[in-house]
């Protein structure tokens, strides 16, 4: 199974949201990481076939998804960034409604709805109205509806936005369970959401793939290049001009700085273990500074 994206672009008036993006994805969990506005949602909407590209194409097992049409939707599960729920519906009624929209046979739907609500730990809430749900429960319901057709390709756009730390942890466990024999793509701007569950991280910036690789490989690119030290307040500017500062805070008359440099910047610094957060901040540093 593979999803092939070739030279994909999306232009909105004079804004290029996705810009000549090419990538091939096989079974596994992919963390699509990037700051707000880099084009994640636009890319995802094209992957789901709900937004047509200005240029380029997407193929599932060599066939253009636009030509596959219904056959592609049959193997696709999508959890949008902003999910429209029906507040007066109960969880079960909502699921049955989506099952009908997806064209699943009624007898099969009834059974799989209960199974899926159990899977996302919403079985007890199955006859409660959605308007009474917490943010985390709504997100879980969003995932359950996306799983109704047992999708081969599962795409989740910012699925952890608005979740508390406990809900985030639960979510990570759930995704790991779902990842077998599927292509799972989940977008986020939060490193820790995907650091431990993604087989591969895809960094997106300015509508393009900036880099991709396993967490380990990406971290390795910074081995011997991350330094931390405490410097005098007056020297902070000097370092931030010259280096990529990934973290800094004032403490006890000195300022702690964590930065990226090919060589030890000064006697005040010692080498530090790189993290995925360092990789992320190093990529998006210029963006943040603007
Ligand atoms: N329908 C649209 N019309 C015009 N500009 C858009 C539209 N959708 C997105 N954009 C712009 O495209 C860029 C990428 O947006 P988006 O794909 O939502 O990024 P992300 O999901 O990474 O935050 C942003 O600059 C956004 O303002
Ligand atoms: Mg988005």
């Amino acid at each position: 199974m593979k999803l092939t994206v070739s030279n994909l672009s999306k232009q909105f008036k004079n804004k290029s949201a996705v810009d000549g993006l090419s990538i091939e994805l096989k079974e596994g969990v992919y963390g699509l990481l990037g700051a707000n506005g880099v084009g994640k949602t636009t890319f995802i909407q094209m992957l789901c076939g709900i937004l047509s590209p200005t240029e380029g194409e997407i193929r599932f097992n060599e066939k253009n998804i636009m030509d596959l049409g219904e056959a592609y939707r049959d193997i696709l599960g999508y959890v949008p960034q902003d999910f429209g729920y029906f507040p007066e519906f109960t969880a079960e009624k909502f699921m049955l409604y989506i099952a009908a929209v997806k064209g699943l046979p009624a007898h099969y739907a009834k059974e799989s709805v209960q199974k899926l609500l159990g899977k996302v730990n919403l079985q007890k809430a199955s006859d409660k109205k959605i308007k009474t749900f917490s943010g985390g429960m709504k997100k879980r319901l969003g995932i359950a509806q996306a799983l109704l057709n047992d999708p081969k390709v599962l795409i989740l756009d910012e699925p952890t936005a608005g979740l508390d730390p406990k809900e985030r942890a639960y979510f990570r466990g759930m995704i790991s369970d779902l990842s077998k024999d599927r292509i799972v793509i989940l977008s986020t701007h939060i490193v820790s959401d995907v650091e431990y569950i993604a087989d591969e991280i895809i960094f997106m910036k300015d509508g393009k793939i900036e880099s991709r690789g396993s967490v380990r490989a990406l971290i390795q690119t910074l081995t011997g290049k991350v330094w931390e030290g405490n410097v005098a307040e007056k020297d902070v500017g000097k370092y931030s001009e010259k280096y990529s500062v990934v973290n800094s805070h004032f403490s006890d008359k000195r300022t702690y700085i964590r930065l990226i440099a090919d060589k030890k910047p000064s006697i005040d610094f010692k080498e530090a273990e790189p993290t995925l957060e360092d990789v992320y901040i190093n990529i998006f540093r210029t963006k943040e500074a603007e």
Side-chain angles (χ1 to χ4, degrees):
M1 186 166 57
K2 69 178 177 191
L3 203 51
T4 316
V5 178
S6 316
N7 194 30
L8 194 72
S9 295
K10 182 71 188 181
Q11 190 88 21
F12 293 114
K13 293 204 180 94
N14 49 15
K15 167 84 202 173
S16 183
V18 171
D19 187 13
L21 190 159
S22 298
I23 196 164
E24 188 169 283
L25 307 174
K26 300 209 165 92
E27 286 89 344
V29 179
Y30 297 88
L32 183 65
L33 259 175
N36 285 321
V38 297
K40 301 185 297 297
T41 296
T42 306
F43 175 38
I44 280 177
Q45 288 182 339
M46 288 192 281
L47 274 179
C48 294
I50 54 176
L51 191 67
S52 46
T54 314
E55 249 185 272
E57 60 173 23
I58 300 163
R59 280 170 289 138
F60 178 72
N61 291 342
E62 308 296 354
K63 294 195 186 80
N64 193 312
I65 61 164
M66 292 301 181
D67 299 332
L68 285 171
E70 197 59 42
Y72 182 60
R73 278 186 289 280
D74 281 350
I75 58 102
L76 178 75
Y78 171 43
V79 186
Q81 185 169 354
D82 300 303
F83 198 77
Y85 294 93
F86 298 70
E88 294 298 330
F89 276 38
T90 64
E92 183 184 31
K93 194 169 163 203
F94 171 76
M95 289 286 282
L96 288 170
Y97 170 77
I98 298 291
V101 170
K102 289 192 177 187
L104 301 179
H107 63 276
Y108 169 81
K110 188 103 189 152
E111 205 182 289
S112 54
V113 161
Q114 283 312 321
K115 219 164 76 192
L116 284 172
L117 287 175
K119 200 167 195 155
V120 299
N121 201 16
L122 280 178
Q123 208 144 33
K124 281 190 196 135
S126 114
D127 58 355
K128 299 259 175 4
K129 284 189 178 175
I130 296 171
K131 67 178 179 192
T132 65
F133 281 19
S134 69
M137 290 166 83
K138 285 182 191 163
K139 289 277 181 191
R140 278 185 267 144
L141 183 60
I143 294 166
Q145 64 79 30
L147 292 174
L148 270 166
N149 52 342
D150 193 20
K152 286 279 157 209
V153 178
L154 177 62
I155 303 181
L156 308 99
D157 196 359
E158 303 268 1
T160 59
L163 300 191
D164 64 34
K166 209 173 128 196
E167 289 171 330
R168 287 194 134 80
Y170 184 82
F171 169 81
R172 285 194 293 266
M174 215 164 69
I175 293 298
S176 298
D177 287 348
L178 289 173
S179 63
K180 206 167 168 289
D181 302 326
R182 295 180 213 265
I183 296 175
V184 180
I185 302 165
L186 68 105
S187 90
T188 181
H189 58 278
I190 299 162
V191 173
S192 60
D193 278 352
V194 286
E195 189 164 13
Y196 303 107
I197 56 172
D199 300 305
E200 196 175 313
I201 301 287
I202 301 165
F203 279 111
M204 200 170 162
K205 187 184 178 184
D206 300 334
K208 298 182 179 72
I209 306 291
E210 169 84 20
S211 56
R212 63 178 285 193
S214 66
V215 170
R216 211 191 162 103
L218 287 166
I219 288 177
Q220 238 161 32
T221 63
L222 288 183
T223 301
K225 295 183 177 175
V226 181
W227 306 87
E228 55 184 5
N230 291 296
V231 303
E233 175 93 79
K234 65 172 175 52
D235 293 333
V236 173
K238 190 176 82 186
Y239 288 108
S240 53
E241 245 165 58
K242 197 160 173 202
Y243 303 106
S244 169
V245 173
V246 292
N247 194 358
S248 73
H249 57 84
F250 187 72
S251 78
D252 198 24
K253 296 194 187 120
R254 308 275 285 180
T255 299
Y256 164 86
I257 298 186
R258 186 178 174 95
L259 53 72
I260 313 231
D262 288 334
K263 284 189 298 214
K264 188 176 174 122
S266 78
I267 190 136
D268 292 326
F269 285 84
K270 65 174 171 36
E271 195 182 326
E273 231 10 78
T275 66
L276 192 63
E277 190 90 27
D278 293 329
V279 179
Y280 180 93
I281 297 175
N282 191 37
I283 289 173
F284 293 100
R285 176 185 59 110
T286 33
K287 186 112 203 153
E288 233 91 61
E290 275 164 11

